[in-house]
């Protein structure tokens, strides 16, 4: 009997390959084979997760703790059951969902080792192992897990861009949950993506530590150190500095930096703008080196106009939008023909909550062969001379405000002269009164344009009020007010609609629109009436073809780029002015319109504009510089 028992025990040892001590009884008990010693009960005293976020943003590759040496590949009797021990919060079904070993299949210890690795990769456990219990007819597999502790708090340090509450909202992991390193790794990635989405591309999670049941996250938010500006020999440094959307001490933001570069490039002062980076005194400081290559900002302008009835007109001008390198605009020039004018102007267009924009200027204008119409019936021709000067200033309400205001004082001396062969009535003579005008005007503007876009994008609305002052050297007393709105949007959908890329050198097709509505309170003298007609208002008509104390004007243009230096423009203008003292009323059914096609060419002298317009009376060709609006 003893020899049979000894033979049975030796056979069991050979089948299992185990070196463990085997105890037996005279009954039908079977031997027990252990994989590794069972883990100790309770959570580990501390887990250091500082390697959850590597500085180089490498994927997390933390593996489970080393277990026993690789077991030999043994296929034995079928698996009778697979269970889990040590879990209290994580349900067994979730754990077993990643196990590939199946009940009824032959037991493969190499596969069981891989299954233990997969269970560990669920992230809920600090240690995972398994043991095998054999019995006659098969084996039982038991996965032994040690759950991570429940989190009591998540603290953030070093964050100034977002509050702790905001960062906790981003995290799936919350206090009271069992710590899962996989989930928390994804939480850290979402935090990083939030910073990057808002332009803070250099911000990172510097360290993560768990102290007891508290998770501490340390965030690094690099700041801008010194900003070095170089390459500007003419443009004053302060002109560049005031356009920067990043200041020393600000958190580094790539979006603001990109907008700054686009804005500087769009000012027309520089041929090229680029930025470099230098390390600061500490790893948390980044120095910026801004390099500019200056462009010629002086422009000579030539304007030419032609009408089938009015003939040719033209002029010459000089302008500089960076006068003396101070960012000021200077202009001087003249036009001759039916519209003769001379002007000189100097303005500082930049404004913020501290810096005032301002302008001063003087002009002399003379219009010949203007036509007097009554009830849209031609009466006679007249000439008009006007000499004037103005000064104004304004600024923004706050640094980030889209609202700004501007006040202007202007003095004019107006002389209206009917032609010698004209025979105006006494009423018409009184209406065409000459005199002096001293006016104050105020403008409130909402500027919603994208200042960093290489093409017009956005909208601008302004409310304007003008008051004629009879008591300060003026001959007329009146109120005049009007609303102006401009809107610009790209037509990117044309690319997909026609399966052709219409964008040229980052400039897409653009719809540009302008609307002006005006009214007055009381009698408006002839010299300050609203007037429509000409290349700046209603194309295809003579200057001041329509006039009155009420007006409506709408312009629409489709601007199609065809080359990096040229574009086509299809336009439509509609509007009219009405004189309430003649019994005329504002009437949308009583409008004049003009339409046509134009060409825009970018030249060393500036942006050339050539428009061919067809109106009710004649066709006119307008030649000038810049867009109409």
């Amino acid at each position: 009997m003893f020899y049979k028992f000894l033979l049975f025990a030796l056979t069991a040892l050979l089948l299992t390959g185990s070196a463990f001590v085997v105890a037996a009884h005279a009954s039908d008990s079977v031997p027990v084979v252990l994989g590794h010693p069972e883990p100790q009960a309770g959570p580990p005293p501390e887990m250091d997760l500082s390697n959850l976020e590597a500085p180089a943003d490498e994927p997390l590759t933390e593996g489970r703790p080393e277990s026993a040496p690789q077991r030999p590949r043994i296929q034995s009797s079928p698996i009778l059951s697979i269970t889990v021990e040590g879990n209290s919060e994580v349900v067994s079904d979730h754990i077993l969902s990643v196990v590939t070993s199946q009940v009824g299949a032959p037991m493969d210890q190499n596969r069981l080792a891989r299954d233990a690795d997969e269970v560990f990769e669920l992230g809920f456990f600090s240690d995972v192992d398994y043991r095998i219990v054999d019995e006659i007819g098969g084996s039982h597999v038991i996965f032994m897990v040690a759950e991570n502790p429940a989190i009591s708090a998540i603290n953030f340090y070093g964050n100034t861009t977002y509050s702790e509450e905001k960062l906790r909202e981003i995290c799936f992991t919350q206090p009271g949950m069992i710590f899962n390193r996989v989930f928390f790794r994804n939480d850290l990635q979402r935090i990083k993506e939030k910073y990057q989405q808002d332009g803070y591309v250099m911000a990172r999670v510097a360290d993560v530590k768990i102290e007891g049941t508290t998770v501490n996250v340390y965030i690094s938010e690099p700041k801008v150190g010194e900003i070095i500006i170089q390459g500007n020999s003419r443009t004053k440094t302060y002109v560049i500095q005031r356009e920067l959307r990043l200041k020393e001490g600000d958190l580094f933001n790539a979006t603001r930096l990109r907008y700054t570069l686009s804005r500087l490039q769009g000012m027309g002062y520089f041929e090229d703008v680029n930025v470099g980076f230098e390390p600061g005194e500490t790893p948390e400081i980044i120095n910026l080196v801004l390099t500019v290559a200056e462009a010629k900002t002086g422009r000579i302008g030539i304007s030419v106009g032609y009408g089938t009835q009015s003939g040719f007109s033209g002029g010459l001008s000089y302008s500089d939008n960076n006068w003396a390198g101070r960012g000021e605009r200077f202009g001087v020039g003249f036009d001759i023909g039916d519209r003769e004018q001379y002007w000189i102007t100097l303005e500082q267009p930049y404004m913020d909550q501290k810096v005032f924009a301002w302008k001063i200027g003087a002009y002399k204008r003379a219009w010949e062969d203007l036509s007097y119409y009554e009830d849209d019936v031609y009466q006679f021709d007249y000439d008009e001379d006007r000499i004037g000067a103005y000064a104004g200033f304004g600024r923004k309400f706050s640094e980030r405000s889209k609202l700004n205001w501007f006040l202007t004082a202007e003095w004019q001396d107006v002389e209206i002269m009917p032609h010698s062969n004209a025979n105006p009535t006494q009423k018409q003579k009184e209406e065409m009164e000459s005199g002096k005008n001293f006016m104050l005007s105020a403008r409130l503007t909402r500027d919603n344009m994208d200042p960093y876009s290489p093409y017009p994008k956005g909208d601008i609305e302004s409310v304007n009020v003008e008051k004629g002052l009879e008591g300060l050297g003026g001959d007329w007393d009146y109120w005049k007010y009007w609303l102006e709105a401009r809107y610009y949007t790209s037509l990117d959908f044309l690319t997909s609609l026609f399966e052709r890329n219409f964008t040229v050198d980052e400039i897409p097709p653009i719809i540009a629109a302008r609307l002006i509505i005006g009214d007055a309170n009381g009698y408006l003298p002839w010299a300050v009436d609203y007037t429509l007609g000409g290349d700046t208002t209603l194309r295809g008509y003579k200057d001041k073809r329509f006039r009155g104390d009420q007006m409506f004007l709408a312009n629409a243009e489709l601007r199609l780029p065809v080359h990096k230096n040229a574009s086509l423009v299809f336009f439509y203008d509609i509007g009219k002015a009405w004189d309430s003292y003649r019994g005329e009323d504002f009437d949308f059914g009583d409008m004049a319109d003009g339409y046509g096609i134009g060409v825009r060419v970018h030249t060393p002298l500036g942006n050339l504009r050539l428009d061919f317009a067809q109106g009710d009376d004649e066709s006119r060709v307008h030649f000038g510089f810049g867009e109409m609006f």
Side-chain angles (χ1 to χ4, degrees):
M1 184 66 176
F2 174 79
Y3 295 104
K4 291 181 179 181
F5 173 78
L6 182 59
L7 180 62
F8 178 82
L10 290 174
T11 302
L13 287 173
L14 290 174
L15 288 175
T16 61
S18 173
F20 287 100
V21 177
V22 179
H25 299 276
S27 62
D28 294 331
S29 298
V30 295
V32 177
V33 181
L34 300 178
H36 298 283
E38 295 187 16
Q40 297 179 357
E46 179 178 354
M47 291 182 292
D48 185 358
L49 304 180
S50 59
N51 63 339
L52 280 178
E53 181 73 9
D57 297 327
E58 297 176 353
L60 300 178
T61 56
E62 181 182 346
R64 71 187 182 97
E66 288 292 335
S67 57
Q70 179 69 37
R71 300 180 176 88
R73 180 179 180 86
I74 298 177
Q75 293 185 350
S76 58
S77 55
I79 298 175
L80 299 178
S81 67
I82 303 176
T83 57
V84 181
E85 287 183 358
N87 57 311
S88 60
E89 298 294 333
V90 185
V91 296
S92 298
D93 288 344
H94 180 64
I95 299 173
L96 295 176
S97 66
V98 298
V99 174
T100 60
S101 300
Q102 298 180 357
V103 174
M107 184 184 64
D108 184 337
Q109 292 199 48
N110 288 334
R111 172 170 289 190
L112 290 176
R114 291 195 298 271
D115 288 340
D117 290 337
E118 291 299 323
V119 173
F120 181 78
E121 288 303 318
L122 289 175
F124 290 105
F125 313 109
S126 60
D127 190 21
V128 177
D129 208 340
Y130 68 91
R131 72 174 185 268
I132 301 169
V133 178
D134 289 337
E135 66 177 38
I136 296 175
S139 304
H140 299 276
V141 177
I142 303 171
F143 286 95
M144 300 174 294
V145 299
E147 287 184 343
N148 292 329
I151 297 172
S152 61
I154 304 177
N155 299 322
F156 293 91
Y157 300 94
N159 54 300
T160 60
T161 305
Y162 310 110
S163 65
E164 284 197 79
E165 291 74 15
K166 181 63 177 179
L167 294 178
R168 290 193 189 100
E169 290 176 3
I170 298 174
C171 296
F172 172 80
T173 305
Q174 296 295 324
M177 298 174 55
I178 291 182
F179 181 79
N180 184 302
R181 66 182 179 281
V182 177
F183 293 169
F184 200 66
R185 183 189 302 122
N186 294 332
D187 291 338
L188 299 180
Q189 181 63 25
R190 281 191 291 271
I191 291 174
K192 176 183 175 181
E193 290 173 355
K194 175 61 178 175
Y195 272 95
Q196 291 182 338
Q197 179 183 352
D198 294 339
Y200 302 100
V201 296
M202 292 190 179
R204 63 188 181 91
V205 176
D207 199 3
V208 179
K209 291 183 178 180
I210 292 184
E211 299 176 357
T213 59
T214 300
V215 179
N216 297 319
V217 182
Y218 300 87
I219 294 177
S220 172
E221 297 179 345
K223 294 183 178 181
V224 177
E226 186 180 1
I227 300 178
I228 303 169
I229 298 175
Q230 60 187 22
N232 55 310
S233 58
R234 179 171 183 261
T235 305
K236 308 300 182 184
T237 299
Y238 74 84
V239 173
I240 301 175
Q241 288 174 332
R242 68 191 184 189
E243 300 294 342
L244 302 181
R245 291 301 177 264
L246 281 175
K247 308 293 184 182
E248 293 185 10
D250 289 349
L251 295 180
F252 178 83
N253 188 290
T255 302
R256 292 184 181 179
L257 178 60
R258 183 172 63 252
Y259 284 174
T260 295
L261 298 179
S262 297
R263 182 172 178 81
L264 290 173
Q265 191 73 61
M267 293 171 67
Y269 302 170
F270 312 108
E271 291 182 352
D272 187 36
V273 180
N274 60 73
V275 66
F277 304 92
E278 291 183 353
E281 297 179 355
T282 68
E284 303 301 316
I285 300 297
I286 301 169
N287 295 329
L288 305 182
V289 181
L290 191 65
T291 305
V292 300
E294 291 186 308
K296 295 181 179 180
T297 55
R299 297 287 186 268
I300 297 176
I302 303 173
S303 62
V304 177
Y306 174 77
T308 55
Q309 296 179 7
S310 56
F312 282 97
S313 62
L316 182 67
S317 65
Y318 173 79
S319 64
D320 191 338
N321 66 345
N322 189 19
W323 179 254
R326 297 193 297 263
E328 299 168 359
R329 295 175 182 172
F330 172 76
V332 61
F334 68 89
D335 283 332
I336 56 176
D338 283 349
R339 183 178 61 183
E340 180 181 334
Q341 57 180 337
Y342 306 85
W343 71 90
I344 183 170
T345 181
L346 180 65
E347 65 174 309
Q348 199 285 100
Y350 179 84
M351 64 168 65
D352 59 23
Q353 79 283 6
K354 296 181 180 179
V355 178
F356 282 90
W358 52 264
K359 65 178 181 179
I360 56 174
Y363 57 86
K364 181 182 184 303
R365 298 168 185 161
W367 290 268
E368 295 181 357
D369 299 327
L370 295 174
S371 298
Y372 183 99
Y373 286 83
E374 188 169 345
D375 297 329
D376 280 339
V377 177
Y378 168 79
Q379 302 294 316
F380 54 85
D381 289 337
Y382 67 96
D383 298 334
E384 179 179 327
D385 291 345
R386 191 179 299 239
I387 298 176
Y390 58 85
F393 65 96
R395 71 178 186 182
K396 287 184 176 182
F397 283 92
S398 65
E399 180 180 4
R400 300 185 180 276
S401 176
K402 297 179 180 180
L403 297 175
N404 65 76
W405 57 267
F406 205 92
L407 300 177
T408 305
E410 185 171 354
W411 175 86
Q412 293 180 340
D413 188 357
V414 182
E415 184 177 3
I416 302 170
M417 301 160 289
H419 283 188
S420 58
N421 60 351
N423 189 23
T425 65
Q426 183 61 32
K427 180 180 178 180
Q428 290 170 342
K429 290 180 180 180
E430 294 175 356
E431 184 181 38
M432 302 172 67
E433 178 186 10
S434 299
K436 295 179 175 60
N437 185 26
F438 181 75
M439 69 192 87
L440 293 177
S441 62
R443 184 184 70 226
L444 177 64
T445 302
R446 175 185 178 270
D447 189 344
N448 194 36
M449 296 291 289
D450 185 346
Y452 311 106
S453 175
Y455 57 89
K457 181 181 179 182
D459 57 274
I460 300 178
E461 297 81 30
S462 65
V463 178
N464 303 266
V465 178
E466 181 181 304
K467 172 62 176 173
L469 299 174
E470 189 175 4
L472 294 174
D475 295 327
W476 302 300
D477 186 59
Y478 64 89
W479 284 97
K480 185 178 176 183
Y481 32 85
W482 65 97
L483 170 68
E484 180 175 355
R486 286 180 283 164
Y487 178 73
Y488 308 86
T489 185
S490 62
L491 298 178
D492 295 323
F493 72 89
L494 291 177
T495 298
S496 57
L497 182 63
F498 293 97
E499 297 183 351
R500 177 190 169 189
N501 186 12
F502 289 92
T503 299
V504 178
D505 199 27
E506 298 185 358
I507 307 299
I510 298 171
I511 284 287
R514 180 177 69 171
L515 175 68
I516 306 177
I517 301 176
D519 203 349
N521 185 11
Y523 174 74
L524 275 189
W526 182 270
V528 296
D529 269 345
Y530 294 111
T531 60
L532 293 183
D535 59 340
T536 61
T537 55
L538 193 59
R539 286 166 287 194
Y541 296 86
K542 293 181 66 174
D543 289 339
K544 302 189 177 186
R545 168 62 180 82
F546 305 101
R547 65 189 314 135
D549 54 9
Q550 297 178 334
M551 64 87 71
F552 174 89
L553 174 66
N555 310 102
E557 292 187 348
L558 171 60
R559 302 173 182 175
L560 293 174
V562 295
H563 185 268
K564 66 178 181 178
N565 292 322
S567 61
L568 288 176
V569 175
F570 299 90
F571 61 85
Y572 179 74
D573 303 335
I574 185 171
K576 199 172 183 182
W578 299 269
D579 191 341
S580 62
Y581 280 84
R582 293 182 182 178
E584 298 174 353
D585 294 324
F586 191 102
D587 185 2
F588 281 112
D590 179 25
M591 294 281 187
D593 62 353
Y595 57 90
I597 185 172
V599 176
R600 308 290 184 264
V601 179
H602 181 69
T603 72
L605 299 178
N607 292 322
L608 181 150
R609 173 165 63 97
L610 178 66
D611 289 332
F612 175 82
Q614 179 63 54
D616 293 338
D617 300 331
E618 63 172 337
S619 62
R620 297 181 67 88
V621 176
H622 306 288
F623 183 85
F625 283 85
E627 296 291 354
M628 190 174 92
F629 62 91

